Amino acid sequence: MNIFLDILFVALVVYFVFAIRRSMRMSRASVALIEKYENDKNNPKLIEEIFEAISDDVLLKRILKRHNATKRDISKLHAKLMKWGDFRKYNRYVPITSFFNVHTLEYLLEHKNDDAKSLTEKMMNHFHF
């Protein structure tokens, strides 16, 4: 029984380390894009970089596949979020950070036809704006 608990503990620690590592990587990618495009928010390369970054992540890629999301979908959602949420709070910027979180990306793709204001409000509430 002790060996089983030891193995379980090690597995949980390994899972925790990988989850924190993934979270930090996504946070760094998000902040890098926020800083890079802070003065050029409507640059089409931003959408490409967002799509590339979330396509490289294991969890976010699954969400993209589940919803058959394309760069065009990301672009439309980004435009909606820019309309009402074009401001930065520390290292969070709704039109970019929303795509780097599992729960917010899922919500955005499920409700991609909703109006801009309700989507932005939901994202702002999630990030405590």
Side-chain angles (χ1 to χ4, degrees), residues 8-29:
L8 180 63
F9 178 72
V10 169
L12 287 173
V13 168
V14 168
Y15 175 78
F16 177 78
V17 167
F18 280 108
I20 292 297
R21 184 175 165 263
R22 183 204 154 272
S23 177
M24 294 300 293
R25 188 170 23 96
M26 287 291 95
S27 179
R28 272 193 307 268

Side-chain angles (χ1 to χ4, degrees), residues 82-126:
M82 283 292 292
K83 185 174 181 179
W84 291 94
D86 186 17
F87 53 89
R88 182 176 178 175
K89 180 179 179 183
Y90 307 114
N91 285 331
R92 288 177 273 168
Y93 179 63
V94 172
I96 294 176
T97 309
S98 300
F99 297 105
F100 288 87
N101 183 289
V102 172
H103 302 292
T104 55
L105 180 62
E106 182 82 40
Y107 183 86
L108 287 172
L109 292 173
E110 284 178 1
H111 298 91
K112 62 184 168 188
N113 296 323
D114 289 4
D115 65 300
K117 187 174 183 181
S118 67
L119 283 176
T120 306
E121 284 177 347
K122 182 72 173 179
M123 296 302 107
M124 290 172 64
N125 287 337
H126 179 84

Side-chain angles (χ1 to χ4, degrees), residues 39-54:
N39 297 320
D40 193 13
K41 298 173 185 173
N42 294 316
N43 189 332
K45 288 184 180 181
L46 171 61
I47 302 303
E48 291 175 21
E49 290 190 41
I50 289 172
F51 191 78
E52 182 181 319
I54 61 180

Side-chain angles (χ1 to χ4, degrees), residues 55-91:
S55 294
D56 289 342
D57 183 65
V58 174
L59 299 178
L60 299 176
K61 181 172 38 175
R62 285 187 206 161
I63 295 169
L64 289 177
K65 284 184 181 181
R66 186 176 324 127
H67 293 282
N68 297 319
T70 62
K71 286 182 186 177
R72 189 166 188 244
D73 294 329
I74 300 300
S75 179
K76 285 181 179 180
L77 288 167
H78 182 264
K80 285 183 179 184
L81 294 173
M82 283 292 292
K83 185 174 181 179
W84 291 94
D86 186 17
F87 53 89
R88 182 176 178 175
K89 180 179 179 183
Y90 307 114
N91 285 331

